[in-house]
Amino acid sequence: MKELTRRKFIATATVATGFALAVQPISAGVITTDAKGLVAGAVKIPVKDGEIPAYRAAPATGDNFPIVLVIQEIFGVHEHIQDITRRFARLGYLAIAPELFIRQGDVSKLSSIDEIRPIVAKVPDTQVLSDLDATLDWAKKSAKGNGKKLGITGFCWGGRIIWLYAAHNPQVKAGVAWYGRLVGDATELQPKYPVDIASKLTVPILGLYGGKDTGISLDTVEQMRERLQSSSSKSEIIVYPNAPHAFFADYRPSYREKEAQDGWKRLLAWFKKNGV
């Protein structure tokens, strides 16, 4: 089989159907939001080197919708992330989740997180930020989105990106980061972490973290909170003492209904308070 060129691969790739293989089996209580009354499905986002797939959902009628960029977990834009966009659309938002790993590989087809990690490690932050800029541009020009009312939210891997994109694009009105890494070793591809940009941040970000998250220590959460105090962003961090990592992921055993529902209410209030 001939190796696809990078450009052709991007052009032919599509968003995942169903849940990623690496997250099977799916919890019985998974939340499902239907698309009735919505425009929902896969779209193509023009980027610098071709196109990337994305999943978008919006009300079927109306225009000038506030925009929410939804940033994926390590598992890609699978059914859980797509469902979150539909939840936003039911509330009147245009929500878009672009596939930010697609040049490096289709992680939804991999059955082990150990196979996924090396692919994600190859994703440059500059690529991610550029693709999000392109997604926002598409939302404004092609999908009836209001760029003056821009919010972002992301989970796990995407939680880290929320902080970085808010520093990159001050047009963001508000962001909500769910349990993303705050501190790490700088590399050529990932040169900065949220703690490095915290003191200069101007966009208000709400960080939601679990006190029993074995991958993100409370020491780093407190370090981030301290750095934010010297910024003008008025960002806040909430720690749920008994919550593990991925407590919002209703399709996994890590899901904690009480904390997830509280976090969602806080997200919506945060967006409203900050003009999204």
Side-chain angles (χ1 to χ4, degrees), residues 25-238:
I26 305 304
S27 298
V30 64
I31 296 172
T32 302
T33 307
D34 67 44
K36 185 177 180 181
L38 306 177
V39 175
V43 295
K44 298 287 188 182
I45 307 294
V47 292
K48 290 181 179 179
D49 53 351
E51 294 178 324
I52 60 169
Y55 187 93
R56 70 84 175 80
T61 58
D63 57 19
N64 208 34
F65 304 117
I67 300 167
V68 179
L69 299 178
V70 180
I71 316 301
Q72 67 205 62
E73 310 161 299
I74 198 172
F75 305 110
V77 182
H78 66 138
E79 176 57 28
H80 175 61
I81 300 299
Q82 294 173 27
D83 195 89
I84 291 170
T85 70
R86 295 193 295 271
R87 296 176 206 178
F88 277 118
R90 291 214 164 277
L91 297 171
Y93 292 98
L94 162 63
I96 314 172
E99 281 279 12
L100 299 169
F101 306 157
I102 205 67
R103 294 172 184 78
Q104 285 72 34
D106 183 356
V107 296
S108 71
K109 302 296 191 292
L110 302 177
S111 59
S112 164
I113 196 168
D114 291 331
E115 294 178 282
I116 293 173
R117 283 196 178 104
I119 290 176
V120 176
K122 297 175 184 177
V123 181
D125 287 344
T126 52
Q127 171 189 298
V128 173
L129 300 178
S130 177
D131 285 353
L132 290 174
D133 285 343
T135 302
L136 173 59
D137 190 56
W138 179 88
K140 292 188 291 187
K141 293 180 179 177
S142 305
K144 303 178 181 179
N146 182 352
K148 295 181 180 179
K149 292 188 175 183
L150 171 63
I152 53 174
T153 192
F155 307 83
C156 186
W157 180 88
R160 170 180 173 267
I161 297 300
I162 295 308
W163 299 98
L164 299 182
Y165 191 69
H168 165 78
N169 183 3
Q171 294 177 41
V172 175
K173 290 290 187 182
V176 179
W178 301 76
Y179 37 80
R181 285 187 69 192
L182 298 167
V183 175
D185 296 326
T187 67
E188 184 179 354
L189 298 182
Q190 293 95 30
K192 291 184 179 180
Y193 278 77
V195 73
D196 300 315
I197 55 87
S199 62
K200 296 182 180 179
L201 193 66
T202 60
V203 175
I205 304 295
L206 175 64
L208 302 173
Y209 294 86
K212 294 187 177 179
D213 189 330
T214 58
I216 301 173
S217 73
L218 288 178
D219 288 346
T220 64
V221 176
E222 290 307 314
Q223 186 179 349
M224 184 69 178
R225 184 181 270 144
E226 184 177 338
R227 294 279 182 94
L228 287 168
Q229 289 178 1
S230 61
S231 79
S232 62
S233 68
K234 298 183 180 179
S235 295
E236 297 179 13
I237 288 180
I238 303 294

Side-chain angles (χ1 to χ4, degrees), residues 19-30 111 249-254:
F19 290 91
L21 289 180
V23 301
Q24 308 292 334
I26 305 304
S27 298
V30 64
S111 59
D250 52 73
Y251 64 99
R252 295 165 67 184
S254 59

